[in-house]
Every structure is written in C-alpha cells, then in structure tokens.
Amino acid sequence: MKKSLAPALLLLLWGCAPPEGTPNTTSTVAISHATSTVTPSATPTAVAASGATAKLPEPDLPEKLLKNYQPAPLEPKLKESETWWADSGIQDNRLGYYTSNDSVAQIEAQLVPVFTAGGNKPYLEGIGPVFDYDGNRVCIMKRSAGGEQLFVIAPLGTARQVPKSLRALKLPPIPAEELANKTTLVVLATGEGLGEHIDHMLGQAGLVITPTPAPAETPDG
C-alpha cells in the first residue's frame, strides 16, 4: 500500500513545479520594485537651487534702453513684505532698479523719447511728462496699449544714498553695495494701476499736484 502511494506523490509534486522554461514571475516583480526604488526624483536641494535662480521680471521696456544702465537686482522674497507688491494693487507689476554714472539730465534725455513715443500721454492731468519731486525727476505715462510706465531719476549725492524723499514713496529698499561708485539711481516700472499707486504715494509724501482746470464754457449769445 505504501509503495503504491509513492509514485502518485511524486507525480503530484512534479505537477506543482513550474514547467521548464516558464519565467519566474516572483523574481521579475522583485527586479521591477528594485528598479523603481533607484529612479531619481526631485530632491529638496534641487528645488531650493531652482528657486534661488528665480528673479523678478524686468520692466516691460525696450531691452536696448535697459542696457544703458547697470541692474541692481531685487530679492524675489521682497514681494511677500514690501508695500510695492503687497498693497499697491498693481497688475503685471514689474519694477527694476538700475544705476549709472551719467548725470540726471543725460538719463532724462535717454528716457523721455521712449516714454513719450507711440501716443503715450502723461498720467497726471495738467502736468508735463516729467516733473520735479524734491530733486528727483519723475515721469508717469499712460501707455496707448494700456497700463502705465514710470521712471524716477534720483541723484545719490556724495553719500551714495537713496534720497529720503524717494524712500517716502515706499519703494523697496536697495542694498547699499549696489550704489557704491555710482552717481545716479534709475527706477523703472510698468504695470496696470501703477499711475494710481504712484499718485497716491506722492500725495502721502506731501506733494500736492493740482490739475489744470477745464476751460470755462462761454455763455450763449
């Protein structure tokens, strides 16, 4: 009786084993998992590095014009705290700081033709394209294509410091090292709502601008 069971048992065991040449699915799954675990993914270090290279967009002005001046980069993190971005309401808000050793008059002569071209008009009624603000030259223009553009030309003086009157406009701070060996700071900006914001800041700083009154109507007869 025991001898007759032995062949049957061997046959049963042979039937449970995989036929010769059949792939081992268990080992294939293991290899698949092993491969997936070594696939590289974005690491915190790589993300931080890519963030470090980010920078604020330049003003929407001709590149040929911007190349006249030395850029003084602003930290992107300023957008989280500075009035210029946090409370200004400016859309497509682009601000740039630049420095130069040219005189205020020379820089104004470079900027005015660009700012007044193409049907652009002064934002402030009754005020010419450029006006004086405590020794700084300011221009706010309505763009014919929509939005506004601004330039401020500020002499730095012998102390190489941003004038106090300019700081009153709540512009973001600029590192002192960016002003070393330069005579003039050029602030350039573009955006929708820029004119209203600057007009408000000038009023807060104590500059009162009175628009030219409309001509009185002549009575009939």
Side-chain angles (χ1 to χ4, degrees):
M1 188 69 180
K2 291 181 181 179
K3 290 182 179 180
S4 61
L5 289 175
L9 182 59
L10 290 174
L11 183 61
L12 178 62
L13 292 174
W14 181 86
C16 293
E20 186 177 355
T22 303
N24 188 331
T25 56
T26 303
S27 61
T28 302
V29 172
I31 292 172
S32 174
H33 285 313
T35 303
S36 64
T37 56
V38 296
T39 301
S41 59
T43 63
T45 303
V47 172
S50 64
T53 59
K55 62 179 183 179
L56 296 173
E58 286 191 312
D60 181 20
L61 292 166
E63 185 178 356
K64 183 179 179 180
L65 176 69
L66 299 179
K67 285 184 176 180
N68 288 331
Y69 318 110
Q70 178 68 37
L74 290 166
E75 291 289 338
K77 65 182 180 181
L78 291 175
K79 292 184 69 173
E80 301 173 6
S81 58
E82 290 300 313
T83 298
W84 185 264
W85 291 280
D87 302 320
S88 65
I90 303 171
Q91 303 299 315
D92 193 20
N93 191 350
R94 296 168 177 252
L95 173 71
Y97 281 168
Y98 303 84
T99 56
S100 175
N101 283 322
D102 289 344
S103 69
V104 171
Q106 286 175 313
I107 296 171
E108 185 172 330
Q110 296 164 357
L111 292 173
V112 169
V114 176
F115 272 63
T116 57
N120 297 341
K121 299 182 181 299
Y123 180 83
L124 301 172
E125 295 181 19
I127 303 296
V130 187
F131 58 91
D132 191 83
Y133 166 59
D134 197 23
N136 308 300
R137 299 294 284 166
V138 182
C139 174
I140 316 172
M141 299 295 290
K142 290 182 182 178
R143 308 176 88 169
S144 57
E148 298 87 48
Q149 56 192 24
L150 162 81
F151 74 67
V152 179
I153 310 172
L156 297 174
T158 56
R160 301 295 188 263
Q161 293 180 347
V162 176
K164 183 178 179 181
S165 57
L166 193 58
R167 296 198 301 270
L169 298 181
K170 306 297 183 183
L171 288 162
I174 180 172
E177 59 268 20
E178 297 289 352
L179 306 178
N181 303 316
K182 301 296 181 181
T183 61
T184 314
L185 173 66
V186 183
V187 182
L188 300 173
T190 57
E192 181 75 38
L194 173 63
E196 181 179 357
H197 177 70
I198 291 297
D199 189 16
H200 176 70
M201 288 293 101
L202 288 170
Q204 293 280 49
L207 179 64
V208 179
I209 298 174
T210 305
T212 301
E217 294 184 6
T218 303
D220 295 336

